[in-house]
Amino acid sequence: VGKGTFLRAMIDRDTIPSMLFYGPCGTGKTTLAGIIAKISHSHFVNLNATNAGIAELRKVIEDARKRVRSLQQRTILFLDEIHRFNKGQQDVLLPSVEEGTIILIGATTENPFFEVNRPLLSRLRLITLDLLTPEAIGNMVKRALTDREKGLGTRELTISDEVLRDLGVFVNGDGRMALNILEQAAAMVHDKGD
């Protein structure tokens, strides 16, 4: 999402196309969808394919049609774990994506060329997310330790460079795992004055 990238330009212009985030766990697929949800003026619906079905998809699509007619507002459907949908469930999405009734943002950890049907995949912009580097993990942990609003900054905790490097290697590119370990470690540390 750095300056000059396709995704950043689409977010800044609020012209998000239908796309598919593909990458390992903890690389930011859901976080990117959250950023888009906060910045976009579109109606945002968040579903997970592990517990959503065809009836729910049809309701989202029908509501999206009504929203366009009455409010001239687009609907972005974030569908996490899209690879869990079978071919029939994925086929329900195809016409509404093709005609622009919904903007689909799918997320998957599985190879989309095997898990997402070809007609749907051909209508999505594929964004591949790579494992986070140990340096990126370290920067994320440092931000979490200093962020006084959303992180642990009010606790005034510190971490040595050696532990930060070890953590970055240990989590093997998974940012969510690094933050979970940080939260668990912070819960075991007493605040100053305790």
Side-chain angles (χ1 to χ4, degrees), residues 60-129:
V60 169
I61 293 165
E62 184 54 36
D63 289 348
R65 283 191 179 102
K66 290 176 184 174
R67 189 171 294 279
V68 167
R69 281 192 302 259
S70 62
L71 303 173
Q72 286 76 49
Q73 184 183 34
R74 301 179 319 155
T75 297
I76 296 175
L77 168 61
F78 176 62
L79 186 55
D80 203 3
E81 307 281 345
I82 192 172
H83 61 273
R84 302 283 183 130
F85 270 0
N86 63 36
K87 185 181 181 321
Q89 290 168 310
Q90 290 180 27
D91 284 345
V92 170
L93 294 165
L94 188 59
S96 57
V97 169
E98 189 170 49
E99 66 194 25
T101 303
I102 60 168
I103 306 299
L104 174 64
I105 301 176
T108 184
T109 56
E110 303 298 321
N111 186 331
F113 295 102
F114 296 112
E115 301 297 332
V116 178
N117 72 38
R118 289 280 186 200
L120 183 58
L121 187 59
S122 73
R123 288 157 177 83
L124 305 175
R125 174 76 187 246
L126 182 61
I127 309 285
T128 303
L129 287 85

Side-chain angles (χ1 to χ4, degrees), residues 4-5 16 22 25 28 33 57 60-61 71 99 102 143 180 183 193:
T5 64
I16 304 297
Y22 164 53
C25 295
L57 283 179
V60 169
I61 293 165
L71 303 173
E99 66 194 25
I102 60 168
R143 271 196 309 273
N180 286 340
E183 279 185 348

Side-chain angles (χ1 to χ4, degrees), residues 123-159:
R123 288 157 177 83
L124 305 175
R125 174 76 187 246
L126 182 61
I127 309 285
T128 303
L129 287 85
D130 296 320
L131 289 170
L132 299 174
T133 64
E135 180 182 283
I137 296 283
N139 289 337
M140 185 176 60
V141 168
K142 285 180 193 174
R143 271 196 309 273
L145 283 171
T146 58
D147 188 325
R148 298 181 81 74
E149 187 178 321
K150 297 180 184 174
L152 300 168
T154 58
R155 302 269 317 268
E156 298 181 9
L157 301 171
T158 60
I159 188 170

